[in-house]
């Protein structure tokens, strides 16, 4: 009978991971866990302690800092596969999962399904001829070297990319491999996994090549498996059900999707909402059930496309997702950098992107660009962003694949600050105190249109005390709110004092906070 070693890559929700590992091993299967090094050490310790006595669980010897689109995701997967191969000699299949996946069939059904045919399940389409990539880079993923993360280090990513294009610094693809592409959610037999690991050990040239490609988790295993396994033994499909929107965002499933998911010809599904507690409970019980009949309809994908298509021509069956604001989610951490001097706040967010793994955007409710990724249209206008602010922020958490996010706000946006602080998410404020000298206030008067180029200087001089008092009043109003999770830094405080505030605000180590506090010219005008 098939015995599955699940390769579990995760970065949050320790309670969910523990429950998932216990559920999967209770059926006689195994779990190899890689927990992202960017995530909390306390969460990792909680997982290890809870599963320490479970012989069906193994952890990777190394925790890597993983980033979307990076080689680190593949490296972490290979580490987990090696750990599983060594720890579980009776495992017949190795199945990739994420922390957002849940079973939509019983273990009994899954084992019988894998026993029925001796083959591997992995999407593997020709990289250049298929239409798998809908938007963005194509061959540029391969022929240029990518050392930086596009989401957390966009300036470096695109500067490096443009420089290579300008000087034609392309590279050849290894001559003996055909690059393929597909979903990263695969299920491979033991002999196939062992061949892949042997290939990794014997071909450092190919490993070096993929280590600087962009989004290698969609190409590495998809290329290597058909290189070492006969094509007749590969089924070009995934056993994990997932649906993507036209904007490339995964569709999330909720409590009312149980029957729909059971009818799909897959063993697992992602992404299951962390708030869909009833769905998670029912699917968890389903994995342990016996004698369940699963009538396969496969209607979910077609139904999703039909309903979203109806919406595009004006026929609506439910409110748009942004019309029901909801919460940002208790598991998410939102950090608000509040400063009247935008250039100072943006120096800090630039340093946060450079020094930490925490995604940071700038004044997204004031500036068009604001270091935002492409979000499919929700972000196109300032008014639209503010109107659908929770939808926008939820999309940013998903796009960055992080449960932490830093944004900048102007202290005049008191309604936004209060609204976000009242959310269920862990929300904190860092006020950057400033001194408003006459030069700055004169510039502010000009920027907001209180005076023009022809305004007499004596009129501007009379305005200075009033405008300065107004600027100072905005920050005083923020202090008067007596918010929990309120921190502040100022140019008249020492680097050590500012570092303590930054450390508490971001939940970073003191050394990291000190580097941020010592950012060059942080408070300079």
């Amino acid at each position: 009978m098939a015995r599955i070693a699940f390769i579990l890559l995760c970065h949050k929700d320790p309670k969910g991971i523990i429950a998932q590992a216990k559920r999967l091993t209770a059926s006689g299967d195994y779990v190899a866990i890689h927990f992202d090094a960017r995530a909390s050490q306390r969460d990792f310790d909680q997982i290890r302690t809870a599963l320490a006595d479970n012989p069906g669980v193994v952890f990777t010897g190394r925790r890597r800092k993983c980033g979307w689109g990076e080689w680190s995701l593949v490296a972490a997967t290979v580490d987990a596969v090696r750990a599983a191969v060594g720890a579980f000699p009776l495992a017949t299949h190795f199945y990739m999962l994420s922390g957002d996946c849940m079973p939509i069939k019983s273990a009994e059904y899954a084992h019988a399904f894998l026993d029925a045919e001796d083959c591997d399940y992995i999407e593997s389409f020709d990289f250049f001829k298929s239409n798998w990539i809908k938007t963005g880079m194509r061959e540029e993923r391969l022929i240029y070297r990518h050392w930086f993360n596009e989401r957390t280090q966009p300036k470096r990513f695109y500067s490096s990319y443009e420089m290579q294009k300008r000087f034609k610094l392309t590279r050849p693809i290894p001559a003996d491999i055909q690059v393929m592409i597909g979903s990263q959610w695969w299920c491979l037999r033991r002999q196939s996994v062992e061949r892949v690991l042997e290939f990794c050990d014997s071909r450092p040239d190919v490993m070096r090549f993929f280590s600087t490609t962009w989004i290698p988790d969609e190409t590495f295993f998809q290329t290597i498996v058909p290189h070492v396994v006969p094509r007749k033994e590969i089924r070009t499909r995934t056993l994990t059900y997932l649906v993507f929107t036209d904007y490339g965002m995964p569709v999330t499933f909720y409590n009312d999707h149980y029957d729909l998911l059971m009818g799909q010809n897959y063993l697992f599904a992602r992404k299951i909402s962390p708030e869909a507690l009833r769905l998670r409970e029912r699917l968890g019980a389903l994995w342990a059930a016996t004698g369940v009949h699963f009538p396969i309809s496969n209607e979910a994908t077609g139904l999703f496309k039909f309903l979203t298509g109806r919406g595009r021509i004006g026929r609506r069956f439910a409110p748009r997702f942004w019309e029901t604001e909801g919460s940002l989610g208790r598991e998410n951490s939102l950090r608000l950098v509040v400063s009247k001097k935008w250039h100072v706040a943006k120096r800090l967010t630039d340093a946060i992107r450079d020094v930490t793994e925490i995604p940071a955007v700038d004044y997204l409710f004031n500036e068009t660009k604001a270091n935002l990724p492409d979000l499919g249209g929700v972000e196109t206008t300032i008014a639209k962003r503010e109107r659908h602010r929770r939808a926008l922020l939820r999309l940013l958490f998903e796009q960055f694949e992080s449960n932490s996010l830093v944004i900048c706000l102007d202290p005049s946006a008191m309604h936004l600050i209060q609204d976000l602080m009242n959310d269920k998410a862990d929300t904190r404020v860092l006020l950057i105190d400033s001194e408003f000298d006459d030069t700055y206030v004169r510039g502010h008067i000009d920027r907001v249109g209180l005076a023009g180029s022809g305004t007499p200087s004596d009129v501007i001089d009379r305005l200075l005390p009033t405008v300065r008092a107004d600027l100072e009043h905005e920050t005083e109003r923020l202090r008067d709110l007596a918010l929990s999770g309120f921190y502040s830094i100022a140019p008249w405080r020492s680097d050590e004092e500012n570092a303590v505030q930054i450390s508490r605000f971001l939940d970073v180590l003191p050394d990291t906070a000190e580097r941020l506090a010592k950012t060059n010219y942080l408070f300079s005008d």
Side-chain angles (χ1 to χ4, degrees), residues 13 16 31 34 97 116 215 224 226 262 282 312 352 360 385 396 400 483:
D13 189 17
V31 177
H34 176 274
L97 282 181
I215 320 182
I224 305 308
M262 281 184 60
R282 296 178 73 187
R312 292 190 189 93
I352 290 171
R385 292 180 196 175
L396 285 172
F400 286 119
L483 300 169

Side-chain angles (χ1 to χ4, degrees), residues 199-417:
F199 181 92
C200 293
D201 294 335
S202 64
R203 293 296 301 272
D205 59 320
V206 176
M207 302 295 282
R208 283 194 301 270
F209 171 78
F210 277 105
S211 68
T212 51
T213 59
W214 181 230
I215 320 182
D217 54 313
E218 293 179 352
T219 55
F220 180 76
F221 285 96
Q222 297 79 358
T223 298
I224 305 308
V225 170
H227 187 80
V228 299
V229 175
R231 296 290 179 123
K232 65 181 181 180
E233 298 178 17
I234 298 174
R235 301 295 171 265
T236 307
R237 57 161 296 192
T238 174
L239 296 182
T240 298
Y241 182 65
L242 62 163
V243 182
F244 286 95
T245 68
D246 290 348
Y247 303 129
M249 301 295 291
V251 172
T252 301
F253 299 107
Y254 295 93
N255 287 333
D256 56 346
H257 289 136
Y258 178 77
D259 292 327
L260 195 72
L261 291 174
M262 281 184 60
Q264 306 315 299
N265 190 23
Y266 297 85
L267 305 183
F268 283 76
R270 75 179 305 266
K271 303 172 79 169
I272 308 299
S273 169
E275 297 177 1
L277 301 180
R278 177 59 179 154
L279 178 61
R280 287 177 169 270
E281 180 183 340
R282 296 178 73 187
L283 293 178
L286 178 65
W287 180 253
T290 58
V292 180
H293 174 62
F294 295 94
I296 304 299
S297 63
N298 275 339
E299 83 278 17
T301 304
L303 184 61
F304 171 78
K305 291 180 178 178
F306 173 77
L307 292 178
T308 53
R310 296 298 91 191
R312 292 190 189 93
I313 62 173
R315 298 184 60 191
R316 300 172 55 179
F317 295 87
R320 304 291 195 223
F321 74 96
W322 55 76
E323 294 174 339
T324 305
E325 288 289 304
S327 165
L328 299 179
R330 294 183 187 277
E331 75 281 2
N332 289 326
S333 300
L334 181 64
R335 304 292 185 255
L336 311 178
V337 176
V338 180
S339 177
K340 196 67 186 180
K341 294 187 176 181
W342 293 7
H343 57 284
V344 177
K346 289 194 281 188
R347 282 194 199 114
L348 180 59
T349 53
D350 194 44
I352 290 171
R353 288 188 289 269
D354 187 47
V355 173
T356 77
E357 298 288 340
I358 303 171
V361 298
D362 298 331
Y363 285 85
L364 75 166
F365 297 115
N366 300 95
E367 297 181 302
T368 304
K369 291 187 178 179
N371 267 293
L372 283 176
D374 180 10
L375 297 175
V378 175
E379 82 287 3
T380 51
T381 68
I382 300 299
K384 200 174 185 181
R385 292 180 196 175
E386 185 167 334
R387 187 164 65 249
H388 308 310
R389 51 185 171 271
R390 279 184 172 76
L392 173 64
L393 292 170
R394 288 198 302 270
L395 278 176
L396 285 172
F397 281 116
E398 291 221 357
Q399 186 79 352
F400 286 119
E401 293 195 342
S402 172
N403 59 358
S404 296
L405 176 66
V406 176
I407 69 172
C408 297
L409 291 175
D410 190 281
S412 63
M414 196 64 64
H415 66 291
L416 280 176
I417 296 169

Side-chain angles (χ1 to χ4, degrees), residues 67-70 127 137 140-142 144 146 148-151 157 171 210 212-219:
W68 186 90
E70 291 182 8
F127 185 92
M137 292 183 177
E140 294 87 352
R141 293 188 184 192
L142 308 177
Y144 298 115
H146 302 278
F148 306 106
N149 188 295
E150 189 242 3
R151 292 185 175 179
F157 180 90
R171 60 174 175 176
F210 277 105
T212 51
T213 59
W214 181 230
I215 320 182
D217 54 313
E218 293 179 352
T219 55

Side-chain angles (χ1 to χ4, degrees), residues 7 32 58 60 75-88 94 190 193-194 196-202 207:
I7 309 302
V58 68
T60 57
T77 304
V78 172
D79 289 347
V81 168
R82 289 188 189 277
V85 167
F88 309 126
F94 295 76
R190 185 180 194 91
V193 162
E194 290 173 343
V196 169
L197 294 180
E198 288 171 5
F199 181 92
C200 293
D201 294 335
S202 64
M207 302 295 282

